Amino acid sequence: MNSSYNYSLQGCVSSLHASVDLLGSSIASLSSGVDDLPRMKTVLKAQRVFELVPESEVNSVKTSLAGEVEPQIIELLRRAEAAISKLERRQKNLIAKAELQEVRLQRQPRAQDPENSIVDSDNARKWRTLQQKRERLDYSLSRLNLAAEQKQWQLRNIQ
């Protein structure tokens, strides 16, 4: 009876060894599949970066955006045009003043007494100041013209 008992135990032991080997190989194959799990988690979490949008939706958003922005652009253009016209009037006034001063300088006698030389240098200084002011206004006018052209170009591109 002892031998049949030993024989049964040996069968159980060999069966247990086979089960342990099977579990070991199962764990090895599972660990190779699970090792990549953190990366897979990140990959599965990723959101789509690029999405196709129908052209009709793009056009509707473009139209609504143009409707919102157009009044603001028109207002800015109106302000720019008002500022330009104001600067043009100011430039004309300064040109007229400069011409008037030039005429006054030409009419004055060129005496060599010290009083006239002081007046001449004072007028020359004023004339140079006015000329520099005119150049600054010309520059400002050109900048405003450029800004107005850019706004008009942007408005045309939005429509």
Side-chain angles (χ1 to χ4, degrees):
M1 180 148 127
N2 225 358
S3 74
S4 74
Y5 186 69
N6 282 340
Y7 183 71
S8 311
L9 282 177
Q10 273 185 341
C12 287
V13 168
S14 66
S15 216
L16 187 61
H17 279 297
S19 294
V20 167
D21 290 340
L22 180 63
L23 281 174
S25 68
S26 296
I27 288 173
S29 86
L30 277 175
S31 69
S32 69
V34 174
D35 286 343
D36 202 26
L37 191 61
R39 187 186 69 83
M40 288 302 291
K41 184 179 177 183
T42 306
V43 167
L44 292 173
K45 249 188 195 180
Q47 297 176 352
R48 289 185 293 183
V49 175
F50 300 102
E51 187 175 321
L52 294 177
V53 179
E55 188 175 346
S56 60
E57 190 175 326
V58 170
N59 287 335
S60 67
V61 170
K62 189 177 175 182
T63 304
S64 69
L65 183 63
E68 291 174 13
V69 174
E70 187 175 4
Q72 295 171 357
I73 291 175
I74 290 172
E75 175 63 22
L76 289 174
L77 282 173
R78 187 192 61 75
R79 286 183 187 175
E81 288 170 354
I84 288 171
S85 65
K86 183 179 178 181
L87 286 174
E88 285 173 347
R89 285 192 307 269
R90 190 168 180 193
Q91 180 186 18
K92 288 177 184 176
N93 288 338
L94 289 174
I95 289 171
K97 274 186 181 179
E99 289 172 353
L100 181 63
Q101 291 295 332
E102 196 173 310
V103 168
R104 285 181 183 168
L105 285 174
Q106 289 174 358
R107 286 186 183 171
Q108 280 186 344
R110 296 273 179 189
Q112 291 301 327
D113 62 29
E115 230 176 77
N116 278 343
S117 65
I118 292 172
V119 171
D120 285 345
S121 66
D122 191 36
N123 283 337
R125 192 175 321 115
K126 285 181 183 177
W127 186 75
R128 268 186 259 122
T129 305
L130 286 174
Q131 198 170 22
Q132 289 171 351
K133 196 170 187 179
R134 178 182 176 200
E135 289 172 1
R136 286 193 304 268
L137 287 173
D138 283 339
Y139 177 73
S140 296
L141 180 63
S142 66
R143 280 186 33 227
L144 286 173
N145 282 334
L146 181 62
E149 288 174 9
Q150 287 176 342
K151 294 293 181 183
Q152 288 173 349
W153 182 79
Q154 289 173 350
L155 182 61
R156 277 187 248 124
N157 283 343
I158 287 175
Q159 295 174 353

